[in-house]
């Protein structure tokens, strides 16, 4: 259910633009970052969300493309009515890294071989997203270098041919 809800937050065109950039490099990392930031802004409780700088894309040694982007969000945990938060108001900075990969949906190796003989594939594209966040201010300033290093550790192996 969570994956369905997450997938529903991106339109078919947004999903295609994201996959096109990750798989072929066509398009722009910044457009992917803006798309994902807009998706995060639709999360429950988010009052305001601002992308921080431009997103950047990079290619790992194995050829897989990744996108890194940052945003600041203001969230109300509790009741929100007519512009007033009656719960806890927090402002956090987030650093995110994403990529996509194709994952086999075959139930058995026999099924995989049979479909291969027929020239058919049964795969689904999966969005991998690593988010790291901390409160804005001194907490963010002290943890940002650690987050930068951690975000570079996201590696999704390439599928064997």
């Amino acid at each position: 259910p969570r994956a369905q809800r997450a997938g529903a937050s991106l339109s078919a065109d947004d999903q295609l633009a994201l996959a096109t950039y990750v798989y072929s490099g066509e398009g722009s990392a910044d457009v992917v970052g803006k798309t994902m930031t807009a998706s995060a802004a639709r999360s429950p409780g988010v009052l305001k969300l601002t992308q921080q700088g431009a997103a950047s894309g990079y290619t790992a040694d194995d050829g897989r493309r990744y996108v890194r982007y940052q945003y600041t969000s203001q969230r109300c945990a509790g009741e929100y009515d007519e512009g007033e938060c009656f719960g806890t108001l927090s402002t956090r900075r987030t650093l995110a890294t994403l990529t996509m990969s194709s994952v086999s949906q075959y139930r058995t190796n026999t099924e995989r071989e049979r479909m291969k003989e027929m020239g058919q594939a049964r795969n689904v594209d999966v969005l991998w997203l690593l988010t790291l966040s901390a409160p804005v201010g001194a907490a963010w300033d002290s943890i940002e270098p650690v987050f930068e290093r951690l975000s570079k550790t996201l590696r999704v192996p390439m599928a064997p041919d």
Side-chain angles (χ1 to χ4, degrees):
R2 280 192 178 161
Q4 291 173 350
R5 189 170 55 229
S9 73
L10 295 172
S11 71
D13 288 342
D14 288 343
Q15 292 176 39
L16 179 61
L18 209 155
T20 299
Y21 178 78
V22 170
Y23 289 130
S24 71
E26 296 175 25
S28 135
D30 199 44
V31 168
V32 170
K34 286 177 181 173
T35 298
M36 294 303 294
T37 298
S39 175
R42 293 188 291 273
S43 297
V46 172
L47 307 178
K48 182 179 179 183
L49 194 136
T50 308
Q51 185 170 341
Q52 300 297 311
S56 61
Y58 63 94
T59 304
D61 294 340
D62 64 2
R64 183 171 304 285
R65 284 184 192 78
Y66 294 81
V67 176
R68 294 177 66 220
Y69 59 98
Q70 295 186 42
Y71 58 85
T72 300
S73 61
Q74 188 176 58
R75 180 182 299 267
C76 176
E79 295 296 319
Y80 181 77
D81 187 35
E82 296 184 21
E84 188 173 351
C85 178
F86 295 100
T88 304
L89 190 62
S90 63
T91 303
R92 298 183 69 84
R93 180 89 175 255
T94 300
L95 171 60
T97 303
L98 71 79
T99 192
M100 292 181 75
S101 69
S102 184
V103 176
S104 169
Q105 295 297 296
Y106 298 112
R107 293 179 295 257
T108 65
N109 286 333
T110 303
E111 181 183 23
R112 178 189 315 275
E113 290 303 315
R114 187 174 50 229
M115 297 298 274
K116 186 177 180 180
E117 289 171 5
M118 295 173 24
Q120 295 180 356
R122 186 173 168 182
N123 298 326
V124 64
D125 291 322
V126 175
L127 173 66
W128 297 90
L129 178 63
L130 170 67
T131 59
L132 306 159
S133 73
V136 169
W140 176 260
D141 294 342
S142 65
I143 199 79
E144 183 179 18
V146 175
F147 281 1
E148 289 283 342
R149 287 192 304 275
L150 279 173
S151 75
K152 293 175 185 174
T153 66
L154 176 64
R155 288 290 180 265
V156 177
M158 298 294 275
D161 291 330

